[in-house]
Amino acid sequence: MNSGNGKIQFATKTLVDQVEERIINYIRDSKLKPGDTLPNETQLSQDMGISRNVTREAMSRLRMLGLIQSRTKRGITIVEPPLFVGLEKVTNPYLFSEETIMSIIEMRIALEVGITDFIFDKITDQDINELDKIVNQGSIYDDNNWPVDLEKAFHMRIYQIAGNPFISQFQKIVHIIFEYAKNNYDSHIKPINKKLKAEGKLITHLDLFNTLKEKDRKKYVAAIKGHLYLYRDLNKKSK
């Protein structure tokens, strides 16, 4: 706390926060890579002039982030941190505002359209066969009213075809939000589907699959946009 200017100001960073930041900066400035080692906690404490307990807590945080690990005979080793793991653990739609949920939905729509070229550059006959099995399972359901697990399986298979692990990991987080939207905005979604069907604009998973099977990129882009139209419409209704 600092009151030198007549106003009470509270420090926003604890000593552990500062030490954690200093260690991260040390790793970055030293250009350390996965497999490289850090000084032990005792040495770090001495170098920074702080207690070992503070250093230990800061190092514990870095282990939880997946940035370091302790190895027998090798000491503290730098590792490649897993992307999105921490975010996936704390993603809870019930803690997010409606505005945040809708922003994440918009992000998914942009991503699904954006990976089209990756999909068509890499899709194989085996991929088509696996998607066909999922579509056949969904054939007993009307319109776009697939169970969440089946819908997730279909779209996750498409992300896997794109071949980018970053996209697949991120979609695990996004799908948590979409499951929430489907389960909590059903009263809005069903009328939108009904309206689209009456207008001949409803794009089902079968329609998406057929564009993939025909290997028609332009039709797929139009189809995925149409398929996700109800979420765009849902977003408009929330504003």
Side-chain angles (χ1 to χ4, degrees), residues 17 23 58 79 83 91 105 112 119 142 165 176-177 181 188 210 212 226 230:
D17 292 332
I23 296 173
V79 293
L83 295 171
T91 298
I105 287 175
E112 292 237 11
I119 295 168
D142 293 332
I176 295 173
I177 303 298
H188 293 296
N210 285 334
L212 291 167
L230 67 95

Side-chain angles (χ1 to χ4, degrees), residues 11-22:
T12 57
K13 290 184 179 181
T14 66
L15 182 56
V16 176
D17 292 332
Q18 295 173 46
V19 172
E20 178 186 1
E21 188 174 299
R22 287 175 65 182

Side-chain angles (χ1 to χ4, degrees), residues 179-230:
E179 289 175 18
Y180 174 86
K182 190 163 186 176
N183 292 331
N184 290 274
Y185 299 131
D186 200 46
S187 61
H188 293 296
I189 291 174
K190 284 186 176 180
I192 297 172
N193 269 337
K194 186 176 180 180
K195 177 175 177 287
L196 290 173
K197 185 175 183 180
E199 296 173 350
K201 297 179 181 179
L202 183 68
I203 306 298
T204 66
H205 294 90
L206 176 60
D207 295 321
L208 282 175
F209 170 73
N210 285 334
T211 63
L212 291 167
K213 187 176 181 180
E214 295 165 8
K215 298 184 178 179
D216 192 320
R217 298 188 192 214
K218 289 184 178 180
K219 281 187 178 180
Y220 178 80
V221 170
I224 192 65
K225 287 181 178 179
H227 180 68
L228 298 172
Y229 174 87
L230 67 95

Side-chain angles (χ1 to χ4, degrees), residues 118-162:
F118 297 120
I119 295 168
F120 279 86
D121 286 346
K122 299 177 182 179
I123 195 166
T124 66
D125 290 341
Q126 180 61 35
D127 295 324
I128 294 295
N129 290 336
E130 292 183 14
L131 285 170
D132 192 20
K133 293 176 184 177
I134 298 173
V135 170
N136 283 333
Q137 291 180 54
S139 63
I140 62 174
Y141 301 98
D142 293 332
D143 305 332
N144 274 336
N145 296 318
W146 278 16
V148 170
D149 287 345
L150 193 59
E151 182 171 344
K152 184 176 180 179
F154 180 87
H155 287 279
M156 282 301 298
R157 188 70 195 90
I158 289 177
Y159 309 143
Q160 290 166 0
I161 292 170

Side-chain angles (χ1 to χ4, degrees), residues 2-54:
N2 187 341
S3 58
N5 59 1
K7 295 182 180 179
I8 297 178
Q9 298 176 339
F10 292 91
T12 57
K13 290 184 179 181
T14 66
L15 182 56
V16 176
D17 292 332
Q18 295 173 46
V19 172
E20 178 186 1
E21 188 174 299
R22 287 175 65 182
I23 296 173
I24 291 175
N25 287 337
Y26 172 82
I27 293 171
R28 182 185 298 114
D29 295 343
S30 301
K31 294 183 172 57
L32 298 181
K33 304 180 296 296
D36 292 340
T37 58
L38 280 176
N40 60 38
E41 290 178 0
T42 300
Q43 185 62 52
L44 284 171
S45 298
Q46 292 175 354
D47 291 345
M48 291 185 285
I50 54 170
S51 73
R52 188 173 177 183
N53 287 338
V54 173

